[in-house]
């Protein structure tokens, strides 16, 4: 690893763990993780996981452990790592509070299909169920939010449990798994021999592609006059970016994205018609209710995408390409379902769809886009108001950085603005908490993303509320010299909730005003270069300085306090009732 | 959509915690499980859960797909009452004296074709198998004589459609990923 270890003495490495044969359970844990090709993991030690930490001490050359400042930081960092690299994120924590602190991140990974292996220590097996010190039933607690979990009580179970964990986390529709290991199993000896896991009868990660369903889909698509594509993270997870582009270019169908699908198709592609959902673009929301065939690919019709289901695309035939059978017709009825991996499905579908060009239909999107530009976008990116807007800060980063950054966001107004206005050229460049909407996600996820993609510029965009939820992770950045550019868009409000209070609760701003500390002082304490920008004329220089700065940088931009995110589909409204103001 | 009674059969690997994984799917959607029975199946290491719920078919379908999505669920299916052969067992503990008096209670037991399992000086245990309506009918009639204890099992059900679990498992084991 190429991370400099600030303030840490060089440690003489003595690699004493055998790769196979007799070893302790904790050594077997570490060797299993290494055998899965992992070289970086995140965690926080404690009593019940100490034997594994002791084993990690011997393998620092092969497996870097990043000490977070809170277990929630560790799990979000592992998520950021996984999302930026496409590999399995690994995190480790102790029993009790260590384990429960992981739960938010695990739930986030479950709903956003992020491959994650979490390892927790547990009290010794003879103490299970006795309310022992730092005992919690983490297998029970995590069951609703994990793809799979397992409790190990004997060392001999470790290699298979960890092999299964990695297999399940990364295969099919990815997700988080948790392996809970009692302390006695970590001490016990095992004759270790690692065999990667290859499958089990009860689990079908990739449904077999049914070519008849592909033909049925092609028939509908070929007959469509106003076809419209919605794409989600399924494109990224199945590495289907090329197949997807080939498919849309052949058929000439306009395509709009969910926020987890963002960056799967470059922003300036002529068929990219923008963002779906509550704060998405005007055209794709409006025209959802005018298309005749709706083609959903690797997305699951979240309520933030559909608005009122009773008035959602009722005029359209729906084709759904989806790997998870339980997502088909869950929210929106599919007339044709292709239950398969998106890459395989798109490859076959592209062969049999007819070349087409829906220029007239595409022009409808362009017309509405212009309307949105005049009503919303222009004012956001080039405001006449005295105070800066979130959009203009984002736009300035776009202008100065050639659309090649990895952007990591938190949750709220700045997140919607980031999704709307950041431009992307490369896949896996937008990392955001979509399904769970986890405030506090940004900073640790950005650390994980940077450590997974050290050669990329990582920009963390976060609000003043979310930043304070996990700002302890500045300590992790400091210790490992992680070069993340943090942009706090400070409006001294919990902005998204405030916007709702303004629109739906008669401006009764209950507990949304933030009296903030001096962020410059705090961040400086971690040895990070900081700057605060209050005026528009300082913005371009500040962003230039940030992007060119070697190492971490903190930019605080003071933006209008009561700015709103528009367009908006209010809760309970139809997508075609999207409001421009 | 109209709510109807459905029997859901879930076939799983035999592991600790599986029952919890299964019931979570129902509790998430606030669906009441009316009865539940767990046992082995005809195939070693595959357990089956038989659950009864009253819901609209559309909802039942979604729940069954989410059950089948669980990594260690081999298969989940749902059936209407007409598509399964099902049975429940009920045990009734009544004071022995009400049967000794040679009165109505004895006639009731005979009329319901119930069995006497155990007779003690203080109480007698009666067994009745049947559908819930039948075991409930006996309960309702015996209750005025003094019911000391009552218990009814969850529904166990055998499906009428003929595809065997064995053939399903064989198909799954053939697929290579």
């Amino acid at each position: 690893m190429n991370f400099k270890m600030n303030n840490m003495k060089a440690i003489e490495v003595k690699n004493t763990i055998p790769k196979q044969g007799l070893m302790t359970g904790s050594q077997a844990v570490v060797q299993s993780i290494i055998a899965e090709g992992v070289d970086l993991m995140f965690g926080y030690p404690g009593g019940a996981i100490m034997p594994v930490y002791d084993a990690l001490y011997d393998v620092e050359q092969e497996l870097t452990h990043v000490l977070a400042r809170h277990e929630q930081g560790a799990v979000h960092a592992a998520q950021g790592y996984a999302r930026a690299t496409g590999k399995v994120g690994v995190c480790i924590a102790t029993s009790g509070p260590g384990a429960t602190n992981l739960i938010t991140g695990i739930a986030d990974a479950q709903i956003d299909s992020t491959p994650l292996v979490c390892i927790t220590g547990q009290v010794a097996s003879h103490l299970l169920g006795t309310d022992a010190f730092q005992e919690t039933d983490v297998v029970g607690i995590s069951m609703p939010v994990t793809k799979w979990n397992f409790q190990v009580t004997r060392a001999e179970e470790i290699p298979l449990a960890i092999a299964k964990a990695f297999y399940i986390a990364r295969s099919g529709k990815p997700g988080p798994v948790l392996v809970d290991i009692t302390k006695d199993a970590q001490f016990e000896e095992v004759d270790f021999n690692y065999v990667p896991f290859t499958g089990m009868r009860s689990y079908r990660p990739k449904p077999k592609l049914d070519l008849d369903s592909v033909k049925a889909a092609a028939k509908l698509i070929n007959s469509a006059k106003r076809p419209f594509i919605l794409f989600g993270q399924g494109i990224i997870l199945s590495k289907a970016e090329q197949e997807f582009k080939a498919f849309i270019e052949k058929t000439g169908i306009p395509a709009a994205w969910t926020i987890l699908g963002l960056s799967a198709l470059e922003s300036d592609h002529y068929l990219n018609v923008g963002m779906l959902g509550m704060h998405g673009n005007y055209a794709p929301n409006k025209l959802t209710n005018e298309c005749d065939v709706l083609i959903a690919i690797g997305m699951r019709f979240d309520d933030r995408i559909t608005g009122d289901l009773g008035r959602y695309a009722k005029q359209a035939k729906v084709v759904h390409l989806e790997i998870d059978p339980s997502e088909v017709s869950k929210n929106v009825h599919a007339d044709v379902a292709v239950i398969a991996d998106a890459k395989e499905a798109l490859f076959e579908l592209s062969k049999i769809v007819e070349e087409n060009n829906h220029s007239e239909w595409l022009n409808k999107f362009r017309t509405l886009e212009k309307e949105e530009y005049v009503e919303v976008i222009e004012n956001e990116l080039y405001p006449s108001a005295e105070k800066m807007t979130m959009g203009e800060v984002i736009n300035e980063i776009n202008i100065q950085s050639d659309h090649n950054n990895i952007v990591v966001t938190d949750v709220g107004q700045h997140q919607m603005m980031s999704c709307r206005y950041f431009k992307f050229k490369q896949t896996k460049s937008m990392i955001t908490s979509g399904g769970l909407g986890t405030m506090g996600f940004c900073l640790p996820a950005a650390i994980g993303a940077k450590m997974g993609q050290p050669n990329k510029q990582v920009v963390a965009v976060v609000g003043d509320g979310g930043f304070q939820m996990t700002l302890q992770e500045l300590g992790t950045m400091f210790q490992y010299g992680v070069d993340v550019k943090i942009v706090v868009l400070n409006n001294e409000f919990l902005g998204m909730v405030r916007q709702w209070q303004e629109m739906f609760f008669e401006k009764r701003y209950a507990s949304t005003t933030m009296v903030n500390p001096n962020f410059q002082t705090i961040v400086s304490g971690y040895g990070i270069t900081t700057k605060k920008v209050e005026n528009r004329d300082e913005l371009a220089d500040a962003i230039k300085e940030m992007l060119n700065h070697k190492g971490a940088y903190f930019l605080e931009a003071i933006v209008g306090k009561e700015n709103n995110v528009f367009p908006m589909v209010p809760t309970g409204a139809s997508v075609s009732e999207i409001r421009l103001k | 959509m109209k709510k109807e009674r459905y029997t859901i059969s879930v076939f799983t690997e035999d592991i600790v915690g599986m029952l919890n994984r299964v019931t979570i799917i129902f509790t998430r959607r606030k669906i009441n499980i009316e009865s539940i029975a767990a046992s082995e199946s005809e195939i070693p290491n595959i357990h089956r859960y038989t659950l009864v719920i009253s819901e609209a078919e559309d909802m039942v379908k979604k729940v069954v797909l989410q059950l089948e999505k669980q990594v260690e669920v081999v298969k989940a299916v749902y059936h209407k009452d007409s598509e399964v052969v099902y049975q429940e067992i009920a045990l009734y503990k009544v004071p022995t004296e009400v049967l000794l008096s040679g009165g109505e209670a004895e006639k009731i037991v005979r009329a319901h074709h119930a069995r006497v399992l155990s007779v003690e000086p203080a109480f007698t245990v009666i067994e009745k198998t049947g559908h819930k309506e039948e075991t409930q009918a006996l309960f309702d009639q015996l209750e005025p004589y003094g019911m000391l204890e009552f218990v009814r099992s969850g529904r166990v059900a055998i499906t009428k459609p003929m595809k065997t679990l064995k053939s399903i498992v064989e198909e799954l084991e053939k697929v290579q990923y």
Side-chain angles (χ1 to χ4, degrees):
Chain A
M1 297 305 298
N2 56 352
F3 303 108
K4 68 175 196 281
M5 302 279 192
N6 289 349
N7 308 333
M8 285 186 84
K9 287 177 189 163
I11 295 158
E12 202 180 309
V13 175
K14 50 176 176 81
N15 190 346
T16 55
I17 299 189
K19 303 273 187 210
Q20 58 178 44
L22 218 56
M23 63 179 74
T24 64
S26 56
Q27 290 173 327
V29 170
V30 166
Q31 286 305 334
S32 300
I33 292 170
I34 291 172
E36 287 290 340
V38 177
D39 56 14
L40 185 71
M41 62 196 280
F42 303 87
Y44 205 100
I49 195 70
M50 280 184 66
V52 171
Y53 272 85
D54 190 62
L56 281 170
Y57 193 70
D58 287 330
V59 293
E60 285 182 335
Q61 294 268 299
E62 292 158 88
L63 178 56
T64 303
H65 174 273
V66 176
L67 174 66
R69 291 299 179 271
H70 187 290
E71 290 86 354
Q72 188 190 355
V75 65
H76 289 330
Q79 290 178 270
Y81 175 88
R83 294 267 290 270
T85 62
K87 296 194 275 189
V88 179
V90 182
C91 70
I92 176 168
T94 193
S95 64
T100 56
N101 281 342
L102 297 179
I103 295 297
T104 304
I106 293 174
D108 192 288
Q110 171 84 338
I111 200 162
D112 281 353
S113 305
T114 307
L116 210 60
V117 169
C118 303
I119 290 167
T120 50
Q122 183 54 282
V123 300
S125 55
H126 72 278
L127 293 172
L128 285 171
T130 66
D131 301 318
F133 177 66
Q134 291 194 329
E135 186 198 357
T136 194
D137 174 16
V138 72
V139 171
I141 290 173
S142 66
M143 204 169 267
V145 291
T146 48
K147 186 173 174 187
W148 180 79
N149 65 9
F150 187 74
Q151 185 172 64
V152 167
T153 53
R154 288 178 9 240
E156 63 182 38
E157 298 170 324
I158 287 170
L160 179 60
I162 292 184
K164 253 183 159 175
F166 276 91
Y167 173 78
I168 292 167
R170 71 161 74 95
S171 59
K173 183 179 185 175
V177 304
L178 182 141
V179 181
D180 190 38
I181 308 174
T182 60
K183 199 169 180 182
D184 50 331
Q186 297 171 39
F187 281 125
E188 201 184 356
E189 281 208 320
V190 54
D191 190 5
F192 179 77
N193 180 31
Y194 196 77
V195 184
F197 195 72
T198 55
M200 58 208 286
R201 63 183 175 188
S202 61
Y203 173 57
R204 299 153 295 271
K206 273 191 193 178
K208 192 172 177 295
L209 179 62
D210 170 16
L211 287 175
D212 288 340
S213 71
V214 176
K215 281 180 199 149
K219 199 175 160 201
L220 260 184
I221 293 166
N222 288 338
S223 69
K225 297 278 176 279
R226 297 180 310 282
F228 181 33
I229 290 169
L230 319 178
F231 67 96
Q233 195 189 200
I235 303 286
I236 297 170
L237 293 173
S238 72
K239 303 183 175 69
E241 292 90 347
Q242 290 313 313
E243 288 79 2
F244 176 67
K245 211 200 277 191
F247 170 69
I248 59 170
E249 287 176 357
K250 185 172 181 189
T251 54
I253 303 176
W257 36 270
T258 71
I259 64 169
L260 287 185
L262 177 50
S263 86
L265 178 68
E266 59 264 32
S267 304
D268 60 3
H269 192 280
Y270 70 104
L271 290 168
N272 189 335
V273 293
M275 172 173 162
L276 294 163
M278 185 173 267
H279 291 291
N281 290 115
Y282 192 54
N285 277 304
K286 271 268 180 206
L287 297 177
T288 295
N289 279 358
E290 288 183 29
C291 67
D292 60 353
V293 175
L294 191 67
I295 305 134
I297 307 173
M299 57 84 73
R300 59 184 179 80
F301 293 107
D302 183 275
D303 59 277
R304 285 295 194 271
I305 294 294
T306 64
D308 179 15
L309 277 173
R311 290 178 288 161
Y312 182 79
K314 289 296 179 194
Q315 79 294 342
K317 293 270 186 216
V318 175
V319 178
H320 198 172
L321 275 63
E322 169 59 49
I323 196 168
D324 176 358
S326 77
E327 291 296 348
V328 174
S329 295
K330 185 181 84 175
N331 297 332
V332 172
H333 173 75
D335 296 287
V336 175
V338 181
I339 299 174
D341 179 74
K343 193 182 181 81
E344 289 173 23
L346 285 168
F347 180 74
E348 292 299 332
L349 192 56
S350 289
K351 286 190 208 164
I352 54 172
V353 286
E354 289 161 9
E355 274 185 50
N356 211 330
N357 170 353
H358 295 279
S359 53
E360 204 175 312
W361 170 233
L362 190 59
N363 278 340
K364 281 197 113 174
F365 285 86
R366 298 295 174 229
T367 307
L368 293 176
E369 204 171 88
K370 277 180 201 134
E371 206 176 319
E372 182 182 350
Y373 188 84
V374 172
E375 293 284 338
V376 179
I377 299 173
E378 192 169 26
N379 295 330
E380 186 61 40
L381 301 188
Y382 310 102
S384 50
E386 184 197 352
K387 286 286 180 190
M388 285 191 291
T389 65
M390 294 185 181
E392 75 177 309
V393 178
I394 291 165
N395 192 42
E396 190 59 43
I397 300 173
N398 274 337
I399 290 167
Q400 295 198 29
S401 59
D402 206 20
H403 311 172
N404 269 323
N405 302 320
I406 291 180
V407 175
V408 186
T409 83
D410 213 70
V411 172
Q413 286 186 318
H414 74 277
Q415 175 192 33
M416 294 297 107
M417 291 296 189
S418 295
C419 292
R420 288 177 53 79
Y421 297 117
F422 268 114
K423 302 294 175 204
F424 297 95
K425 273 189 183 159
Q426 289 175 320
T427 187
K428 296 203 227 18
S429 294
M430 166 49 101
I431 298 170
T432 191
S433 167
L436 199 67
T438 305
M439 282 178 70
F441 175 85
C442 177
L443 183 59
I447 292 169
K450 180 67 188 180
M451 295 187 110
Q453 294 284 11
N455 296 323
K456 290 207 171 175
Q457 178 85 278
V458 174
V459 180
V461 183
V462 58
D464 47 316
F467 179 57
Q468 291 180 79
M469 276 201 177
T470 46
L471 68 68
Q472 78 282 348
E473 298 307 326
L474 292 170
T476 311
M477 283 178 65
F478 179 55
Q479 179 165 347
Y480 299 93
V482 185
D483 172 9
V484 169
K485 315 301 187 201
I486 304 168
V487 180
V488 167
L489 298 175
N490 185 356
N491 58 6
E492 296 180 328
F493 263 116
L494 297 173
M496 186 58 92
V497 180
R498 188 213 54 76
Q499 177 173 342
W500 282 50
Q501 287 169 334
E502 177 187 333
M503 294 175 71
F504 312 118
F505 291 86
E506 298 161 342
K507 286 199 176 188
R508 289 156 57 86
Y509 292 162
S511 296
T512 44
T513 48
M514 300 282 278
V515 178
N516 286 322
N518 184 331
F519 291 129
Q520 306 293 309
T521 311
I522 292 174
V523 180
S524 301
Y526 288 94
I528 294 169
T529 307
T530 72
K531 180 155 241 159
K532 182 174 180 174
V533 175
E534 299 192 54
N535 299 313
R536 182 161 295 127
D537 54 12
E538 309 161 329
L539 180 64
D541 283 347
I543 284 174
K544 187 174 178 192
E545 183 181 320
M546 174 181 82
L547 294 171
N548 291 330
H549 184 80
K550 288 207 175 1
Y553 192 95
F554 177 86
L555 177 66
E556 179 184 3
I558 307 299
V559 296
K561 287 179 75 141
E562 298 190 33
N563 292 352
N564 289 333
V565 188
F566 280 107
M568 181 175 189
V569 181
T571 313
S574 165
V575 281
S576 53
E577 293 169 336
I578 183 167
R579 290 167 55 174
L580 285 171
K581 53 191 160 197
Chain B
M1 256 195 265
K2 196 169 116 257
K3 285 192 178 184
E4 275 186 89
R5 193 155 67 176
Y6 289 92
T7 301
I8 297 175
S9 305
V10 189
F11 301 90
T12 77
E13 299 293 346
D14 177 19
I15 49 158
V16 173
M18 206 59 227
L19 178 61
N20 200 5
R21 274 226 176 253
V22 168
T23 56
I24 281 168
I25 310 292
F26 296 89
T27 47
R28 268 188 82 184
R29 290 179 181 263
K30 207 169 176 187
I31 295 171
N32 188 34
I33 297 170
E34 290 167 21
S35 93
I36 182 166
S39 78
E40 296 102 60
S41 71
E42 66 273 26
I43 296 179
N45 302 321
I46 292 189
H47 267 224
R48 62 184 295 169
Y49 300 94
T50 307
L51 303 103
V52 180
I53 63 168
S54 291
E55 276 297 334
E57 184 170 4
D58 181 51
M59 174 71 89
V60 176
K61 232 184 239 175
K62 289 174 188 175
V63 165
V64 165
L65 283 170
Q66 286 180 328
L67 285 165
E68 208 164 89
K69 180 176 169 175
Q70 303 307 309
V71 166
E72 275 144 343
V73 169
V74 177
K75 185 79 193 162
V77 291
Y78 71 94
H79 294 98
K80 291 182 175 164
D81 280 2
S82 59
E83 296 169 318
V84 287
V85 177
Y86 60 97
Q87 197 67 303
E88 288 162 13
I89 182 166
L91 300 178
Y92 313 73
K93 184 158 100 181
V94 295
T96 300
E97 61 193 38
V98 308
L99 294 163
L100 288 178
S101 57
E104 283 299 308
E106 191 189 325
K107 281 186 198 161
I108 293 166
V109 173
R110 282 176 179 281
H112 284 266
H113 301 289
R115 291 204 300 158
V116 172
L117 285 187
S118 169
V119 182
E120 304 273 334
F123 65 86
T124 293
V125 177
I126 296 160
E127 176 212 302
K128 161 85 188 155
T129 59
H131 290 180
K132 184 176 176 182
E133 295 74 15
E134 297 168 315
T135 55
Q136 186 63 35
L138 177 56
F139 176 88
D140 291 342
Q141 290 200 311
L142 282 177
E143 216 248 333
Y145 298 93
M147 184 67 66
L148 298 172
E149 203 175 326
F150 170 74
V151 64
R152 175 163 46 225
S153 74
R155 170 185 290 196
V156 292
I158 296 277
T159 59
K160 290 180 187 173
M162 276 304 291
K163 189 162 187 181
T164 63
L165 178 61
K166 189 157 177 268
S167 65
I168 292 169
V169 170
E170 278 169 0
E171 272 172 40
L172 290 172
E173 285 176 346
K174 256 197 307 205
V175 181
Q176 294 295 314
Y177 295 106

